[in-house]
Amino acid sequence: MKKTLLAAALMGASFSAHAVAPGGPGCGWGNLLFEGKSGLPMHILATTFNGTSGNATFGMTSGTNGCDTNGALTYSGESLLGMNGVMEEVAQDMAVGEGEALTALSVSIGVDASDRAHFNSIMHQNFASIFPSQDVTAAEVMQQINMVMSQDQQLAKYV
């Protein structure tokens, strides 16, 4: 059950992790209604209004409601691997070459289902370089994973 929750959290976090301001910073009627307001409650209300009415999605597809999808999405939060306990489970799965945490990682990176067995194998083969010590950071692990993937002909397309 714990690993299933981990996979769901990783997948959910990966979708939200790429979008600080999807559609742009002023997208949706929620932003219009709460314009100039600040603080967590106002942001939650604006987001909830945009999400429940679907107007931000409509605005992004139609180019209305203050939405602009030309800009690149950004993320300035913590790495998914930095979440409590996730890196340990990924390390354990990577050491054996399979497991739910490793699958969740591959899904969060965007690896197609047809390439996941290869991803698992390559991560297992490179475990020592990805996790060179017990005190390695999540950022260092992700940097190594990206390097390993970029050097593999089949996985380079995901970097």
Side-chain angles (χ1 to χ4, degrees), residues 55-56 74 107 118:
N55 68 78
T74 60
V107 169
H118 182 71

Short mmCIF file of all heavy atoms in Angstrom, two decimals, residues 55-56 74 107 118:
data_model
loop_
_atom_site.label_atom_id
_atom_site.label_comp_id
_atom_site.label_asym_id
_atom_site.label_seq_id
_atom_site.Cartn_x
_atom_site.Cartn_y
_atom_site.Cartn_z
N ASN A 55 -12.80 27.36 -16.80
CA ASN A 55 -12.56 28.53 -17.65
C ASN A 55 -11.09 28.72 -17.99
O ASN A 55 -10.78 29.27 -19.04
CB ASN A 55 -13.16 29.78 -17.02
CG ASN A 55 -12.46 30.20 -15.77
OD1 ASN A 55 -11.40 30.79 -15.84
ND2 ASN A 55 -13.03 29.90 -14.61
N ALA A 56 -10.18 28.28 -17.13
CA ALA A 56 -8.76 28.41 -17.47
C ALA A 56 -8.42 27.47 -18.62
O ALA A 56 -7.68 27.84 -19.54
CB ALA A 56 -7.89 28.13 -16.25
N THR A 74 7.58 26.43 -15.73
CA THR A 74 8.75 26.33 -14.86
C THR A 74 8.36 25.68 -13.54
O THR A 74 7.19 25.59 -13.20
CB THR A 74 9.31 27.73 -14.56
OG1 THR A 74 8.30 28.50 -13.91
CG2 THR A 74 9.77 28.44 -15.82
N VAL A 107 7.82 6.94 -14.73
CA VAL A 107 6.59 7.60 -15.16
C VAL A 107 6.70 9.11 -14.98
O VAL A 107 6.33 9.89 -15.86
CB VAL A 107 5.37 7.04 -14.38
CG1 VAL A 107 4.13 7.90 -14.62
CG2 VAL A 107 5.10 5.60 -14.78
N HIS A 118 13.78 -1.25 -20.20
CA HIS A 118 15.13 -0.81 -20.55
C HIS A 118 15.63 0.24 -19.56
O HIS A 118 16.79 0.19 -19.13
CB HIS A 118 15.14 -0.26 -21.98
CG HIS A 118 16.48 0.18 -22.45
ND1 HIS A 118 17.50 -0.71 -22.73
CD2 HIS A 118 17.00 1.43 -22.66
CE1 HIS A 118 18.57 -0.03 -23.10
NE2 HIS A 118 18.29 1.26 -23.06
#
